[in-house]
Short mmCIF file of all heavy atoms in Angstrom, two decimals:
data_model
loop_
_atom_site.label_atom_id
_atom_site.label_comp_id
_atom_site.label_asym_id
_atom_site.label_seq_id
_atom_site.Cartn_x
_atom_site.Cartn_y
_atom_site.Cartn_z
N TYR A 28 15.39 18.31 -1.99
CA TYR A 28 14.30 17.90 -1.11
C TYR A 28 13.66 19.14 -0.49
O TYR A 28 14.26 20.22 -0.45
CB TYR A 28 14.81 16.96 -0.02
CG TYR A 28 14.99 15.54 -0.53
CD1 TYR A 28 16.26 15.01 -0.76
CD2 TYR A 28 13.88 14.77 -0.79
CE1 TYR A 28 16.40 13.69 -1.24
CE2 TYR A 28 14.02 13.46 -1.26
CZ TYR A 28 15.28 12.92 -1.49
OH TYR A 28 15.40 11.65 -1.95
N PRO A 29 12.43 18.99 0.02
CA PRO A 29 11.70 20.15 0.59
C PRO A 29 12.50 20.89 1.68
O PRO A 29 12.29 22.07 1.87
CB PRO A 29 10.44 19.52 1.19
CG PRO A 29 10.24 18.26 0.42
CD PRO A 29 11.61 17.78 0.04
N ASN A 30 13.40 20.20 2.37
CA ASN A 30 14.17 20.90 3.41
C ASN A 30 15.34 21.70 2.83
O ASN A 30 16.15 22.23 3.55
CB ASN A 30 14.70 19.89 4.44
CG ASN A 30 15.72 18.91 3.85
OD1 ASN A 30 15.98 18.93 2.65
ND2 ASN A 30 16.27 18.08 4.69
N PHE A 32 17.81 20.55 0.91
CA PHE A 32 19.03 19.80 0.65
C PHE A 32 19.04 19.25 -0.79
O PHE A 32 18.10 18.60 -1.21
CB PHE A 32 19.15 18.64 1.65
CG PHE A 32 20.41 17.83 1.46
CD1 PHE A 32 21.62 18.29 1.93
CD2 PHE A 32 20.34 16.59 0.82
CE1 PHE A 32 22.76 17.54 1.75
CE2 PHE A 32 21.49 15.84 0.63
CZ PHE A 32 22.70 16.32 1.09
N ALA A 34 20.22 16.66 -3.05
CA ALA A 34 20.82 15.32 -2.94
C ALA A 34 21.58 14.93 -4.18
O ALA A 34 22.56 14.19 -4.12
CB ALA A 34 19.74 14.30 -2.62
N GLY A 52 27.50 3.67 -4.91
CA GLY A 52 27.93 4.87 -4.20
C GLY A 52 27.81 4.67 -2.72
O GLY A 52 27.14 3.73 -2.27
N VAL A 53 28.41 5.55 -1.95
CA VAL A 53 28.34 5.43 -0.48
C VAL A 53 26.92 5.74 0.00
O VAL A 53 26.09 6.22 -0.76
CB VAL A 53 29.33 6.37 0.23
CG1 VAL A 53 30.76 5.98 -0.04
CG2 VAL A 53 29.07 7.81 -0.16
N ASN A 54 26.67 5.51 1.28
CA ASN A 54 25.39 5.91 1.89
C ASN A 54 25.21 7.40 1.69
O ASN A 54 26.12 8.18 1.92
CB ASN A 54 25.39 5.62 3.38
CG ASN A 54 25.35 4.15 3.71
OD1 ASN A 54 25.90 3.72 4.69
ND2 ASN A 54 24.71 3.37 2.86
N GLY A 55 24.02 7.79 1.24
CA GLY A 55 23.76 9.22 1.06
C GLY A 55 24.26 9.79 -0.24
O GLY A 55 24.21 11.00 -0.45
N SER A 56 24.76 8.93 -1.13
CA SER A 56 25.30 9.46 -2.40
C SER A 56 24.17 9.76 -3.39
O SER A 56 24.42 10.33 -4.45
CB SER A 56 26.26 8.45 -3.01
OG SER A 56 25.62 7.21 -3.18
N GLY A 57 22.95 9.37 -3.07
CA GLY A 57 21.83 9.75 -3.93
C GLY A 57 21.27 8.61 -4.78
O GLY A 57 20.52 8.85 -5.72
N LYS A 58 21.60 7.37 -4.44
CA LYS A 58 21.08 6.24 -5.23
C LYS A 58 19.56 6.17 -5.16
O LYS A 58 18.87 6.13 -6.19
CB LYS A 58 21.69 4.91 -4.73
CG LYS A 58 23.20 4.86 -4.80
CD LYS A 58 23.75 3.54 -4.32
CE LYS A 58 23.52 3.27 -2.82
NZ LYS A 58 24.20 4.20 -1.92
N SER A 59 19.04 6.14 -3.95
CA SER A 59 17.58 6.05 -3.82
C SER A 59 16.89 7.26 -4.41
O SER A 59 15.81 7.18 -4.97
CB SER A 59 17.18 5.92 -2.34
OG SER A 59 17.77 4.76 -1.80
N THR A 60 17.57 8.43 -4.30
CA THR A 60 17.01 9.63 -4.87
C THR A 60 16.86 9.52 -6.39
O THR A 60 15.85 9.92 -6.96
CB THR A 60 17.89 10.84 -4.52
OG1 THR A 60 18.04 10.87 -3.09
CG2 THR A 60 17.30 12.14 -5.02
N ILE A 61 17.89 8.93 -7.03
CA ILE A 61 17.81 8.72 -8.48
C ILE A 61 16.62 7.83 -8.82
O ILE A 61 15.85 8.11 -9.75
CB ILE A 61 19.12 8.07 -9.00
CG1 ILE A 61 20.30 9.05 -8.84
CG2 ILE A 61 18.97 7.59 -10.43
CD1 ILE A 61 20.47 10.02 -9.95
N LYS A 63 13.89 7.42 -7.11
CA LYS A 63 12.63 8.16 -6.91
C LYS A 63 12.39 9.14 -8.04
O LYS A 63 11.25 9.37 -8.46
CB LYS A 63 12.65 8.89 -5.57
CG LYS A 63 12.54 7.95 -4.37
CD LYS A 63 12.46 8.75 -3.09
CE LYS A 63 13.20 8.08 -1.95
NZ LYS A 63 13.57 9.03 -0.89
N GLN A 97 13.94 0.55 -1.42
CA GLN A 97 14.94 0.03 -0.50
C GLN A 97 14.27 -0.60 0.71
O GLN A 97 14.67 -1.65 1.19
CB GLN A 97 15.86 1.18 -0.08
CG GLN A 97 17.03 0.75 0.76
CD GLN A 97 18.03 1.88 0.93
OE1 GLN A 97 17.86 2.98 0.41
NE2 GLN A 97 19.10 1.62 1.63
N ASP A 179 16.19 -1.26 -5.70
CA ASP A 179 17.00 -0.46 -4.78
C ASP A 179 17.52 -1.37 -3.67
O ASP A 179 16.78 -1.75 -2.78
CB ASP A 179 16.19 0.70 -4.22
CG ASP A 179 17.08 1.78 -3.59
OD1 ASP A 179 18.30 1.54 -3.45
OD2 ASP A 179 16.56 2.85 -3.26
N GLU A 180 18.79 -1.74 -3.78
CA GLU A 180 19.45 -2.65 -2.83
C GLU A 180 18.63 -3.94 -2.57
O GLU A 180 18.24 -4.23 -1.45
CB GLU A 180 19.73 -1.92 -1.50
CG GLU A 180 20.61 -0.73 -1.77
CD GLU A 180 21.32 -0.20 -0.53
OE1 GLU A 180 21.33 -0.90 0.50
OE2 GLU A 180 21.88 0.90 -0.62
N HIS A 212 25.57 -2.54 -2.60
CA HIS A 212 26.86 -2.35 -1.93
C HIS A 212 27.75 -3.58 -2.09
O HIS A 212 28.85 -3.61 -1.59
CB HIS A 212 26.64 -2.05 -0.43
CG HIS A 212 26.01 -0.73 -0.18
ND1 HIS A 212 26.70 0.46 -0.29
CD2 HIS A 212 24.75 -0.38 0.14
CE1 HIS A 212 25.89 1.47 -0.02
NE2 HIS A 212 24.70 0.98 0.24
N1 LIG C 1 13.03 13.05 2.25
C1 LIG C 1 14.25 13.61 2.37
N2 LIG C 1 14.36 14.89 2.76
C2 LIG C 1 15.58 15.46 2.86
N3 LIG C 1 16.73 14.89 2.56
C3 LIG C 1 16.68 13.62 2.15
C4 LIG C 1 15.45 12.91 2.03
N4 LIG C 1 15.71 11.66 1.57
C5 LIG C 1 17.04 11.60 1.46
N5 LIG C 1 17.65 12.77 1.79
C6 LIG C 1 19.09 13.07 1.75
O1 LIG C 1 19.50 12.92 0.42
C7 LIG C 1 20.77 12.27 0.36
C8 LIG C 1 20.70 11.10 -0.57
O2 LIG C 1 19.83 10.14 -0.04
P1 LIG C 1 19.57 8.76 -0.72
O3 LIG C 1 18.50 8.08 0.05
O4 LIG C 1 19.35 8.98 -2.17
O5 LIG C 1 20.94 8.01 -0.49
P2 LIG C 1 21.40 6.55 -0.94
O6 LIG C 1 22.51 6.69 -1.90
O7 LIG C 1 20.24 5.76 -1.37
O8 LIG C 1 21.98 5.97 0.43
P3 LIG C 1 21.91 4.49 1.03
O9 LIG C 1 23.09 3.74 0.50
O10 LIG C 1 22.06 4.72 2.49
O11 LIG C 1 20.62 3.90 0.67
C9 LIG C 1 21.13 11.90 1.78
O12 LIG C 1 22.12 12.79 2.24
C10 LIG C 1 19.86 12.06 2.56
O13 LIG C 1 20.13 12.56 3.83
#
Side-chain angles (χ1 to χ4, degrees):
Chain A
Y28 281 107
N30 66 356
F32 181 77
V53 293
N54 291 147
S56 56
K58 301 181 294 296
S59 300
T60 305
I61 294 275
K63 288 184 217 159
Q97 186 169 0
D179 197 350
E180 301 198 14
H212 292 285

